[in-house]
Amino acid sequence: RKPASIWEAAFPLGNGRLGAMVFGGAADERIQLNEDSLWDGYPLDASNPKALQVLPQVRQLLFENKNNEAEKLAGANMLGTPSGVKPYQSLGELLIEAPGAEGASNYIRSLDLTTAIARVSYTSGGVNYTREMFASAPGNVIVVRFTADKPGSINLKMTLKRERDAQCIADPKNARAILLTGQIDRKDSTGTQRGLHFAAEVCAVNDGGSVSNNAGLLAVTGANGVTLLITGATDYPGLKKVAEKLASIHNIEAAPPYSQPPLLGPGDFCEMMVIDPVSKLSYDDLKAMHIKDYQALFNRVTLDLGPANPASAALPTDARLAAFHNGAPDPALAALYFQFGRYLLISSSRPGGLPANLQGLWAWQMNPPWNADYHTNINIQMNYWPAETTNLAECEEPLYDLMDTLAVSGAQTARVQYGARGWVVHHLTDPWGFTAPADGLQGVWPMGAAWLARDPYEHFLFTGDKKFLADRAWPLMKGAARFILDYLVEAPAGSPVAGKLVTNPSYSPENSFLLPDGHQAEFTYGATMDLMIVRELLTNCIEASKILNTDEDFRKECETALAKLAPVRISLQTGRLLEWIDDYKETDPHH
């Protein structure tokens, strides 16, 4: 019943590549924009050769229960160079003034999950105003339609803004459009500018009235209705081109079976901004195209958990949530939230684009929380848990494309940092193929590729597609398992799992424990999370090898390692599965 006052309360729209957060203001509308490839940074090799030099000593210290010494040595020598990634960034904001719309009444804003259309309606000065907004995948645009029930009532002023690295100008090729252009300020060690170029465009298609364009300020006066077409692009070259660049840096062959063509080539990113052809379509045609495309995915699944509480169903969502927390039963709200999750995945991850990041597609800052990057120690996996189970398999294709790229840079990191075959990813990555340990000691967790490799195999289990298993899944699974086979080491005599294979060093993400002497530690060997990821990967590789009737020698390697893998153990004190190799006390049991 009111506009969003903070970014988190705005409505998210997205077509997989373009995103918008719509605040729904009457007199002052704010639409924050994103483009999925607008990332700071560039391809580089962050692998650290010092890691391989200290790895035997780190392992020995951990086997001797000298955890803190091992952590100090690893922290000083095993992180990537650089030891972090650059952030995903906002494309900018479209700011719209609607003079005369102050004091609005009968205000409602809504997001219809069945059509992916946001709507704002209100009354001001005796005129009923309506606004509809959606992000069209087939049209490659975000569409905003303003109407009123009194002719000549639409008066708008608008401009595009960005916190830094950009300017808004009148589009020299289109008198009805404004253009935001810029380049991320990012220089390499030689001082060469390497940041992505980017652009956003807004075009006004008016019904009656007039449109004026003055130095980046677009004005619509006295219109019966107006449709805004918004698009954006960068010169990000696409995952395949990034992989080829990484291969040239590493002097290795890039041969994964990409399904994704390069999104863009340097210098031609404006070709992605195809407003002119779209502007020749009517709003109704654009809307119909959008709904047909979206519902082809969304309508595959319905969920009925029982009727809505009549008193709750009539409430705005914020009040409905409050009633639920106060004890009002509302099973339909849970079903609605389930569909909202599907809506977000459809909106932020489509074939040919980049995967959904930590914030999906939506970020308003230049440095969003945790860089809005790809965290491979659970977050990107969580993003895609609903893909197969809620019949959105196509939405997971961008993840496989990213994995193909990571397999190239991850092979370099595996070789340089661990002397291992296969490919490795640590706890985070980005679209530039970063695979080295990052951020701090918690980054020395080389299980990301092993866990990611579960997803393409799950796709095979859901579809029975043997061609996909052979062409896409198996190379990724086999490469991840090759690294694991080389990374596993035998626990020495005196260990709780003497003679068994364990990961070392090992880390249970975002948790730490107390040593017997009271010191806090993070590093161990054979943490249960590692062992279960390894067990699943090796089991899946054995099954896939049999299904495909291929790589018998490699299958035997996996079978031998699996038989010797350290078992999952149970605490004699609590009866729970042990999280670490020993029955340590957690520093924060609530984490």
Side-chain angles (χ1 to χ4, degrees), residues 11 42 193 247 558:
F11 282 142
Y42 52 89
Q193 185 62 263
C558 293

Side-chain angles (χ1 to χ4, degrees), residues 39-40 82-87 370-371 373-374 428-430 434-435 438-439:
W39 287 73
D40 196 352
S83 60
V85 299
K86 301 304 179 186
W370 295 279
N371 301 307
D373 59 33
Y374 302 119
L428 60 77
T429 187
D430 64 10
F434 187 95
T435 53
D439 289 353

Side-chain angles (χ1 to χ4, degrees), residues 222-511:
N224 304 321
V226 63
T227 302
L228 302 182
L229 303 174
I230 308 165
T231 194
T234 78
D235 62 352
Y236 177 76
L239 285 165
K240 183 177 181 180
K241 291 287 187 181
V242 168
E244 290 171 353
K245 175 65 174 177
L246 290 167
S248 68
I249 292 174
H250 305 329
N251 194 28
I252 58 177
E253 182 180 357
Y258 293 92
S259 65
Q260 175 192 300
L263 292 178
L264 296 162
D268 66 0
F269 65 97
C270 281
E271 291 181 11
M272 290 291 287
M273 299 171 63
V274 289
I275 276 181
D276 282 347
V278 173
S279 67
K280 295 176 174 60
L281 298 173
S282 70
Y283 174 74
D284 288 341
D285 287 342
L286 284 168
K287 184 177 176 180
M289 285 168 50
H290 158 71
I291 292 175
K292 181 180 179 181
D293 168 79
Y294 171 76
Q295 290 186 341
L297 293 166
F298 185 81
N299 284 358
R300 294 172 180 175
V301 170
T302 58
L303 179 64
D304 183 356
L305 299 178
N309 182 323
S312 298
L315 295 174
T317 305
D318 53 350
R320 188 174 179 182
L321 281 167
F324 178 78
H325 286 302
N326 288 330
D330 194 354
L333 179 62
L336 182 69
Y337 198 67
F338 166 85
Q339 292 289 28
F340 184 51
R342 297 183 69 243
Y343 166 84
L344 291 173
L345 185 58
I346 294 169
S347 301
S348 63
S349 184
R350 292 286 197 104
L354 291 172
N357 62 47
L358 274 176
Q359 295 184 189
L361 179 62
W362 304 276
W364 65 271
Q365 296 132 308
M366 299 298 104
N367 290 287
W370 295 279
N371 301 307
D373 59 33
Y374 302 119
H375 265 56
T376 55
N377 64 353
I378 195 170
N379 303 88
I380 197 167
Q381 292 91 340
M382 290 172 73
N383 282 353
Y384 289 98
W385 282 344
E388 300 290 349
T389 54
T390 73
N391 208 353
L392 296 174
E394 299 94 323
C395 294
E396 197 163 11
E397 287 182 21
L399 179 61
Y400 308 144
D401 293 333
L402 176 65
M403 289 170 66
D404 285 340
T405 298
L406 297 178
V408 176
S409 51
Q412 171 75 351
T413 301
R415 180 181 65 82
V416 171
Q417 298 221 178
Y418 300 99
R421 302 169 298 169
W423 64 288
V424 64
V425 180
H426 293 80
H427 87 297
L428 60 77
T429 187
D430 64 10
W432 303 114
F434 187 95
T435 53
D439 289 353
L441 194 64
Q442 71 272 24
V444 187
W445 182 80
M447 306 301 296
W451 203 1
L452 286 170
R454 176 184 190 271
D455 284 70
Y457 189 64
E458 283 284 300
H459 179 72
F460 164 73
L461 292 179
F462 272 83
T463 63
D465 186 344
K466 285 190 179 182
K467 186 176 189 309
F468 175 88
L469 178 63
D471 294 347
R472 300 292 313 267
W474 180 242
L476 293 168
M477 294 167 65
K478 183 179 177 182
R482 271 180 164 165
F483 171 80
I484 290 297
L485 290 170
D486 289 351
Y487 186 67
L488 291 170
V489 290
E490 187 174 304
S495 160
V497 289
K500 297 293 186 179
L501 292 177
V502 293
T503 53
N504 186 351
S506 181
Y507 170 64
S508 194
E510 300 195 12
N511 211 351

Side-chain angles (χ1 to χ4, degrees), residues 3-28:
S5 58
I6 58 173
W7 182 82
E8 289 80 2
F11 282 142
L13 302 175
N15 65 7
R17 196 179 70 81
L18 297 171
M21 291 290 279
V22 180
F23 284 66
D28 299 288

